[in-house]
Amino acid sequence: MPSLAEKVASATADLRRLAKGWRPSETDLIGAVGLKNWMVAIDGEMPVLIGESVGHPHLGDQWITTSPVLWISEDRTIARTLSRWYRLGTSALPPPKEPLSKHYH
């Protein structure tokens, strides 16, 4: 399992690429965990995702709380947490009426 330093380095590299307009390809997402019936929640001061994992390498298929969320695609189909990429299935809540970009700059 990667160390915290390795997770931070990987997430930082991905966030830098995302800031430049890069988006992960299907190849980049081969190892991504699925998450269905998901919602955003707050754990302490950090946003996290709660949902049913599909194919998580350590937790299997069960209800989980992710590590802190760092990025969610505008179409809400991909998320990057501190630990890994997730492929987002159906949300447990109806989508907001405003795009995410209106809230996060």
Side-chain angles (χ1 to χ4, degrees), residues 72-85:
I72 298 177
S73 63
E74 280 290 324
D75 63 2
R76 296 172 180 82
T77 59
I78 305 168
R80 179 62 159 102
T81 68
L82 177 61
S83 297
R84 68 184 70 255
W85 288 100

Side-chain angles (χ1 to χ4, degrees), residues 33-43 46-53 63-72 76-81 84-89 91:
V33 172
L35 196 64
K36 59 184 183 178
N37 298 317
W38 62 274
M39 66 184 84
V40 177
I42 301 297
D43 183 7
M46 302 298 295
V48 295
L49 298 173
I50 297 173
E52 294 179 67
S53 66
W63 281 90
I64 65 167
T65 300
T66 69
S67 59
V69 176
L70 305 176
W71 178 85
I72 298 177
R76 296 172 180 82
T77 59
I78 305 168
R80 179 62 159 102
T81 68
R84 68 184 70 255
W85 288 100
Y86 284 88
R87 289 179 184 267
L88 302 178
S91 171

